[in-house]
Amino acid sequence: MTIAICPGSFDPVTNGHLDIIQRAAVIFDELIIAVGNNPGKKPLFTVEERIELLEKAIAEIQLTNVRVDHFSGLQVEYARANQARVIVKGLRALSDFEYEFQMALTNKKLAPEIETMFMMTATEYSFLSSSLVKEIVYFGGEPVDLVPTVVLDALHKKMGSRGKKDEEKPFINPS
Ligand code: PNS
């Protein structure tokens, strides 16, 4: 039985994430979506909110071998504690590569028994990021087909983008 973890901030989950999750769920016996906090980012949603959104989105696409959890230490320690041998990451354009390469090599150094596997993003989501989605909603746009409806509703609720002035909206991370 091969268990994989898919770590990330998921602030919030996008259709790009869900595409990777859906494809990875076919390959591994169990897939754990591990929500973590990136120390370099100030999240818009709390960990609990991000988990809830992921769970709702995953339930909608009926993936039975996927569960959502959170972690606070190193991702390799979380993988070990859950008997996961693989870390799955989605890879978008070239811009992702350097960061992900560095992270994968660091993780290999820390835990040689764990493999990082990259899955290429689907073409239609190759430009997509959680930050971009937040920015669209912040400025009053609708990220149609980029996030599940449950996420879109949560974004509007959180940002009050329907009717609030920019200065009344929460800070969104530029990264
Ligand atoms: O979606 P993100 O923002 O790229 O996710 C980053 C996250 C939370 C997965 C990453 O920052 C993380 O795993 N942090 C925990 C510390 C860790 O294990 N870092 C990697 C090796 S130093």
Side-chain angles (χ1 to χ4, degrees), residues 61-143:
I61 49 177
Q62 296 175 348
L63 299 174
T64 51
N65 61 336
V66 178
R67 67 183 170 91
V68 187
D69 193 11
H70 65 96
F71 73 105
S72 51
L74 288 170
Q75 51 180 267
V76 288
E77 291 305 336
Y78 177 82
R80 275 179 177 153
N82 286 276
Q83 291 80 48
R85 289 180 44 210
V86 179
I87 295 172
V88 181
K89 299 291 312 248
L91 208 54
R92 289 167 303 189
L94 284 178
S95 52
D96 274 348
F97 183 77
E98 200 172 336
Y99 170 71
E100 293 296 348
F101 184 64
Q102 192 179 22
M103 182 109 79
L105 293 188
T106 308
N107 283 340
K108 193 74 187 160
K109 183 79 183 162
L110 294 171
E113 78 280 15
I114 296 173
E115 291 296 339
T116 299
M117 291 192 177
F118 291 107
M119 294 182 70
M120 297 304 153
T121 178
T123 327
E124 64 262 43
Y125 302 127
S126 57
F127 63 94
L128 181 58
S129 69
S130 299
S131 307
L132 200 79
V133 165
K134 285 181 277 193
E135 194 169 321
I136 295 172
V137 177
Y138 184 93
F139 288 109
E142 289 287 301

